[in-house]
Amino acid sequence: MSGIVWALLGAAAAVILAGCGSAYGVGVAGQAASGVVTEDPSKFAKVLIMQLLPGTQGIYGLLVAFLTLSKIGILGGGAADISVAPGLLIFAACLPIGIVGLVSGMHQGRTSVAAIGIVAKKPDQFGKAMLFPAMVETYAILALLISILAVSGIQV
Amino acid sequence: MSDTKYAYAVARIRAMEVSLFSAATIEQLIACKSYAACLDFLREKGWGDSEGEKTAEAILEREEEKIWEVMRELSVDQKNFEVLFYQNWFHNLKAAIKKVCTGDNDTRNIYFEGTNMEPEQIERAIREKDFASLPEFMQEVAQEAVETMLHSADGQLCDCMIDQATLRAIMQAGKKSENQVIKAYAENTVAVANIKIAVRSQKTGKSKDFMERSMVECDSLNIQSLMMAALGGQDAICEYLTGNGYGEAAEALKQSPSAFERWCDNRMIQTMKPQKSNPFSVGPLVAYVLARENEIKTVRIILTCKQNDLADDAIRERVREMYV
């Protein structure tokens, strides 16, 4: 496979894996949010924020994919002629946000479900409840940082 | 991650737990000046139907119906709750056998309704001796109980056989279930029933043979030792319970019969309390059903006490621990 294929695979992995993590997380948190709103519609805004928290991994994956596509010239309309080594390096650079995005998105979704339970019973504890799923975000941000630094630093 | 299929249901239950009666609410109910004031208080809390009958029995019955209406709305497989119906199913079996075998044509309703198995289905099975149409765990005992009733007309023996079969069915359901809450429910129900049998047998001077026909093996108690303790008297039972992790039961038993009955119910609620912090699995749903049943039972006790002009302290002695 040529380098451009590896680089594109990297961009695809970042979007697909992180997107799957977010889709799972937002989905499961959405189920819990629906359960609370069924009984108490006044909590809609609070549980919506909880539901959205696991959605960021998908955005991070998209960001890294954009950077990658820009790097290899696909976005500009003229794909660069990349050899296998830099292509593989770009692929590897995309993996952190892909893999961490998948795992953290799923776990952040589950943590959001638990936090929605707190909001359901004690809405005044919303601030504290939001901190629990937000902690999971840290690791997605770290992975995003490494992916951005790595993709930006590779010479093609 | 398959446990997340209950995310909607558990979150909805969390929102509903807010309206469960707390110990403070129960205290307010006790503080009501009269029986009528208690009913007003319950209606203010949304109990019963705004349009329906206003009697206590109608209010409590409506609340029991609401539990299962909610569970059906949650779109959760109702088989998860089947074990909770076993006691009612077996009660209906007992009632059907006695009705059919004694030729009783009384039209009063002797059955528990809304238990996922129509009482008429049980009655028809008994009348036509079509035991195969009953659930598997009921077939053998139904046949034996019918034969016993027809040959000896011994209602107590019949009850004894069916009660033991109930406990056995609950225990088996617990062992088969992969859910920890169902396991805990089964173990707790059977252990508490064994203790009750031992206590009552000791008080009424029943034989070891009777206890053997009533008790069912469980993990937390050795029923042979419990039977021997029951034959030795109440102190022996208390000593056995204290040495086997049921010290609170022994304390309650020494205190009074009503304290012991209260402990039996409190024990189940205490077993279910960890479900308050479980965001997944069917556990919180089962716990909610038991919490609601416990709440309704407590309100019924308070109303009965109020109706009979019992002092507030006497009522408090009978009040069960609340889930929230």
Side-chain angles (χ1 to χ4, degrees):
Chain A
M1 280 202 290
S2 68
I4 191 85
V5 176
W6 280 112
L8 272 173
L9 273 176
V15 172
I16 293 169
L17 294 176
C20 285
S22 276
Y24 176 90
V26 172
V28 71
Q31 289 175 42
S34 305
V36 174
V37 174
T38 307
E39 291 302 318
D40 187 357
S42 69
K43 294 195 178 102
F44 172 73
K46 284 177 178 165
V47 294
L48 181 68
I49 294 169
M50 296 287 189
Q51 187 200 355
L52 290 178
L53 283 174
T56 49
Q57 282 82 347
I59 298 169
Y60 299 161
L62 181 76
L63 181 64
V64 169
F66 261 120
L67 268 179
T68 306
L69 295 179
S70 169
K71 184 96 185 170
I72 61 179
I74 297 256
L75 280 185
D81 185 17
I82 307 170
S83 58
V84 174
L88 278 170
L89 285 175
I90 291 173
F91 176 73
C94 290
L95 287 182
I97 190 57
I99 296 169
V100 178
L102 173 70
V103 177
S104 69
M106 292 171 90
H107 283 284
Q108 197 170 24
R110 290 171 69 85
T111 318
S112 285
V113 170
I116 285 168
I118 300 177
V119 173
K121 292 184 88 168
K122 295 188 166 77
D124 54 317
Q125 300 297 316
F126 172 71
K128 286 178 192 166
M130 205 174 73
L131 277 178
F132 298 123
M135 297 301 280
V136 186
E137 191 75 18
T138 314
Y139 303 95
I141 292 170
L142 294 180
L144 170 70
L145 193 64
I146 291 303
S147 284
I148 289 175
L149 289 176
V151 170
S152 308
I154 294 165
Q155 300 295 321
V156 291
Chain B
M1 300 239 175
S2 63
D3 56 356
T4 51
K5 68 182 176 183
Y6 298 108
Y8 167 80
V10 174
R12 194 168 162 190
I13 288 299
R14 286 283 171 267
M16 295 176 75
E17 279 173 7
V18 178
S19 54
L20 282 176
F21 281 7
S22 63
T25 319
I26 290 294
E27 195 54 42
Q28 282 177 294
L29 185 64
I30 296 171
C32 288
K33 296 280 179 214
S34 64
Y35 178 73
C38 285
L39 291 184
D40 288 341
F41 178 83
L42 291 174
R43 279 195 291 270
E44 275 169 27
K45 291 281 177 190
W47 278 46
D49 264 339
S50 52
E51 300 298 313
E53 271 188 79
K54 309 277 190 233
T55 63
E57 207 40 56
I59 290 173
L60 298 178
E61 200 175 303
R62 182 71 196 107
E63 287 306 306
E64 276 165 5
E65 285 167 8
K66 282 182 192 172
I67 301 175
W68 296 107
E69 280 172 13
V70 169
M71 290 301 138
R72 280 190 288 272
E73 276 177 30
L74 294 176
S75 306
V76 172
D77 186 357
Q78 297 298 301
K79 281 198 181 305
N80 285 307
F81 308 112
E82 225 167 51
V83 67
L84 305 181
F85 289 126
Y86 281 10
Q87 296 190 47
N88 289 355
W89 284 356
F90 278 96
H91 164 86
N92 287 349
L93 177 68
K94 260 191 229 175
I97 290 174
K98 286 180 184 169
K99 186 177 179 184
V100 171
C101 295
T102 58
D104 185 3
N105 290 321
D106 197 333
T107 53
R108 277 180 307 171
N109 189 8
I110 53 172
Y111 298 115
F112 279 119
E113 302 286 346
T115 60
N116 283 14
M117 196 196 320
E118 292 303 316
E120 292 75 22
Q121 183 192 339
I122 299 177
E123 194 179 314
R124 187 200 55 77
I126 300 301
R127 183 166 286 117
E128 296 172 9
K129 294 203 167 51
D130 177 20
F131 301 112
S133 66
L134 294 171
E136 205 180 330
F137 53 80
M138 259 188 185
Q139 292 171 7
E140 197 181 325
V141 71
Q143 193 167 358
E144 280 177 30
V146 167
E147 282 166 14
T148 305
M149 270 304 280
L150 290 175
H151 292 136
S152 65
D154 187 344
Q156 193 187 26
L157 181 59
C158 175
D159 285 354
C160 192
M161 288 163 71
I162 294 175
D163 287 342
Q164 192 185 38
T166 311
L167 295 178
R168 201 170 281 138
I170 291 172
M171 202 64 205
Q172 277 173 1
K175 286 197 189 299
K176 262 194 251 170
S177 175
E178 288 172 7
N179 188 287
Q180 290 306 315
V181 171
I182 301 290
K183 282 183 189 297
Y185 168 81
E187 174 64 27
N188 196 61
T189 304
V190 175
V192 168
N194 284 339
I195 296 172
K196 276 186 184 174
I197 292 165
V199 170
R200 289 172 189 173
S201 298
Q202 183 270 320
K203 284 190 192 304
T204 53
K206 295 283 184 194
S207 65
K208 186 168 183 269
D209 184 46
F210 174 85
M211 286 188 268
E212 272 173 351
R213 278 190 274 116
S214 306
M215 290 187 187
V216 168
E217 290 285 352
C218 61
D219 297 336
S220 57
L221 288 171
N222 180 328
I223 57 169
Q224 289 300 326
S225 306
L226 185 59
M227 281 184 239
M228 294 315 292
L231 294 173
Q234 185 171 311
D235 289 343
I237 296 176
C238 290
E239 194 181 329
Y240 174 77
L241 292 176
T242 307
N244 287 276
Y246 287 92
E248 284 181 21
E251 288 302 316
L253 196 54
K254 284 176 194 164
Q255 203 181 328
S256 69
S258 64
F260 174 68
E261 290 297 325
R262 189 182 58 185
W263 172 83
C264 293
D265 291 337
N266 288 354
R267 170 98 185 168
M268 181 60 82
I269 289 299
Q270 282 161 6
T271 308
M272 293 296 139
K273 275 194 174 175
Q275 296 309 313
K276 285 199 289 184
S277 51
N278 175 8
F280 302 106
S281 90
V282 75
L285 311 185
V286 174
Y288 178 79
V289 171
L290 294 171
R292 281 290 278 142
E293 285 176 348
N294 179 60
E295 185 185 59
I296 294 167
K297 184 177 191 174
T298 305
V299 169
R300 182 174 274 122
I301 290 169
I302 295 171
L303 290 176
T304 310
C305 291
K306 286 280 178 191
Q307 214 167 15
N308 292 287
D309 293 325
L310 258 71
D312 286 359
D313 285 342
I315 300 175
R316 279 188 196 96
E317 194 189 315
R318 289 160 174 81
V319 163
R320 271 52 175 166
E321 188 176 327
M322 292 290 110
Y323 180 62
V324 290

